[in-house]
Amino acid sequence: MQYEVHGPFWSPRAQTEADGDALRAFWDKIQEMVPGLPRAIGIYVFSTCHGETFTPWYVGKTNAKTGFRGEIFQDHKLNHYVSASERKRGYPAIHLIAKVEPVRGNYCKASKRSGREIDELETVMIGMALRANPHVRNSKKTWFNRTCQVPGIIGESLTGRPTDAVATLRNTLKL
């Protein structure tokens, strides 16, 4: 399992910026910068950037034949982007995490095996996004991360000094 991270790519800020011509230009520019990336499969993270700080708002996946290009700007996802960029100042950005074939180094195509793997990675990435922003707009795969409480490890932060057990576990997990 190997992935490459690309971005940030500055995405449309509003519905009016996401018409067909603008989206074609967006993907054409990415194709020019990183050949093959628009048709790659993997994970994408939509965020807003304010200064040098990125706030994640939505994590998605694609294992479709059309890759990122055919998945990311579907209407219901575009609604998440627009709503998020209206909630927080900053410029909307997208990071693409593309699955790469380890031997040849080219981008992977859709397959059942890749689909299962990408699904697992999406779950992990949603958990990471929730840790950075509890208001992430994903509705699926958030129940566990929103409800599980291991004080000082997962969930709400501890108040006061952690116990030795919590401190050593945090050290063990590099938290």
Side-chain angles (χ1 to χ4, degrees), residues 21-96:
D21 291 337
L23 293 180
R24 270 188 293 284
F26 174 84
W27 289 116
D28 289 347
K29 183 176 178 182
I30 291 176
Q31 175 66 23
E32 188 177 298
M33 293 181 341
V34 187
L37 185 58
R39 299 267 183 218
I41 60 172
I43 303 296
Y44 54 95
V45 179
F46 172 75
S47 60
T48 49
C49 176
H50 185 76
E52 294 190 18
T53 302
F54 288 82
T55 303
W57 288 99
Y58 186 81
V59 177
K61 66 178 177 183
T62 184
N63 189 38
K65 290 180 183 179
T66 56
F68 291 121
R69 185 178 191 135
E71 177 77 21
I72 292 179
F73 292 113
Q74 292 177 358
D75 285 343
H76 72 282
K77 292 177 185 102
L78 194 57
N79 290 337
H80 286 304
Y81 306 155
V82 171
S83 296
S85 58
E86 289 172 350
R87 283 185 74 176
K88 175 130 174 133
R89 285 188 342 166
Y91 203 82
I94 295 176
H95 283 85
L96 303 176

Side-chain angles (χ1 to χ4, degrees), residues 126-127 130 136-148:
I126 288 171
L130 279 165
V136 164
R137 299 190 50 94
N138 289 74
S139 56
K140 295 179 182 174
K141 300 185 179 182
T142 60
W143 171 83
F144 180 84
N145 286 293
R146 290 186 194 275
T147 59
C148 183

